[in-house]
Amino acid sequence: MRTEMLIGGKWTPGSGGTFATRNPATGEILAEVPEGSAADVDAAVGAAVAAFESAEWAGLAPASRARLLLRVADLIEENAAELARLETIDQGQPFGISSGISIPNAVEHFRYYAGWATKITGITAPLSAPDVDYRTRREPVGVCGLITPWNFPLMIAVWKIAPALATGNTVVIKPAEQTPLSTLRLAELIEQAGVPAGVVNVVTGGPEVGRALVAHPAVAKISFTGSTEVGREIAAEAGRALKKVSLELGGKAPSIIAADADIDAAVAGNLMGGLLNSGQVCAAYTRFYVDARRADEFSEKLAAAARSMTIGNGLDAATQLGPLVTPEQVDRVDAYVRIGKAEGAQLLTGGTRGDGELARGNFYRPTVFGGVTQDMRIAREEIFGPVLSVLPYDDPDQLVELANDTDYGLAAVIWSRDVRVANRLAQQVRAGTVYINMPPFLDAAAAWGGMKASGLGREMGWEAIEAFTEVKSIWTNLA
Ligand code: NAD
């Protein structure tokens, strides 16, 4: 596969040197990838502007755009095994996740947005002004800068690219520096599908490339997924320049386990919800509010299940839990575990790095804390690793307050056999997505995004079409 950058239909090493991307399970270098410079960003944006204005792209009928997206979906599907392997060796996620979630979700997104390309309608409205006809059109925003994180590199890139292209925009994408490979391979497939040169450009590199993209005056919109800290910086910069901006940021999802919950189902669902991709999931279930009468039973079962998980290289079929993305991420998780112990939380299992064979990679044992209280940092801050906290509660009337006592508002889950209890809580919890009795799922048709410090705007569904278009009002004088 190509490991250069794609700018205006040409693969280029750029001018800023290279950086290494490593396999988190072994530490080995997988590839040297260009460190994009401000000049590379400028060239990519220039190519995207030219493509946006070209007859080849702007003049393409919606049905032809749809066919291109369907072709990209087919190519991803035809190359699914290779893409899944690439995601696993660059990001670390078990092959079962890359082949069972990441790649199929990317295919689904391209097909779903291919469907929308021919259905992006405006409205007519009966105005009170006399003798006018009024209608609206949805038009593409222009050149969109797409900046993605390292936890689900391919899937998150596709959440942005598919709706951006379905609506007729052109894009410059900057993948996370830890995990650039699947995005580069995707760009090759997009090229192979016949998407015109300059419509999709990729500039690899670190935060400076992201900053240059956000600051570029010809970029009309930024769609960013990543940390809340960086999201704030981007929102401030975009605000000054009055660029459109969508932000998918961090989370600290509460999991409410009512006294009547099916504990075994809750343990299984929370284990998956909390430890999928080693907890490197923005919607990961992390704070478990369990009725005090069931808390010991829940904690013991959760800890036993976590302890029994098989940790290892994601390419090994037996692996249930892969490595964390980088050694820095392991240090961050370990620091939080030490903070939890110092704050008085009870370590029920885990709390150590991988040893023996695992010491070569970025492994951390799944960790469960019991007796956690609301004020502890492990209950308040996003850890983004395999650390689960159980917080027993006595009074169900306090649950809404406890769940909402956080800066974040991305996802939440409620476990109860009583539909009234579950649905009342679902209405009261401040989160972009609430699950009832299930692990966190994603679907191209289901709007995704956060309240409060978890973000601005929504991806997926019709919401992403809105996010990548401008509404134009057209008035005609009939007098
Ligand atoms: P990050 O914010 O450090 O980096 C994300 C991307 O932004 C990377 O490509 C990075 O190079 C770039 N970047 C960094 N600084 C920048 C700057 N100043 N200007 C422009 N670009 C910059 O996040 P991460 O560590 O890669 O990812 C983990 C975070 O992403 C977690 O907080 C997680 O919750 C969040 N996330 C959210 C969602 C969601 O849907 N809400 C999904 C996945 C991950």
Side-chain angles (χ1 to χ4, degrees), residues 12-89:
T12 160
S15 50
T18 62
F19 65 95
T21 183
R22 290 174 184 273
N23 183 336
T26 61
E28 74 181 315
I29 292 179
L30 295 167
E32 292 285 340
V33 177
E35 178 67 54
S37 63
D40 297 323
V41 170
D42 192 48
V45 174
V49 169
F52 185 71
E53 292 165 356
S54 70
E56 232 188 330
W57 182 243
L60 206 58
S64 306
R65 252 185 358 242
R67 271 197 294 277
L68 281 178
L69 296 189
L70 291 172
R71 179 81 187 114
V72 175
D74 289 347
L75 285 170
I76 297 174
E77 205 163 51
E78 283 164 29
N79 293 278
E82 181 209 343
L83 278 163
R85 187 175 179 281
L86 205 55
E87 199 75 320
T88 290
I89 60 174

Side-chain angles (χ1 to χ4, degrees), residues 148 150 174 177 224-227 233 249-250 282 382 384 448:
T148 54
W150 45 255
K174 191 209 88 66
E177 55 275 33
F224 169 81
T225 299
S227 61
E233 204 183 306
L249 309 176
C282 50
E382 185 184 49
F384 225 57
W448 181 254

Side-chain angles (χ1 to χ4, degrees), residues 131-149:
D131 291 328
V132 288
D133 176 68
Y134 171 80
R135 66 195 162 92
T136 63
R137 280 163 56 81
R138 282 198 171 268
E139 298 183 350
V141 175
V143 174
C144 301
L146 315 179
I147 303 175
T148 54

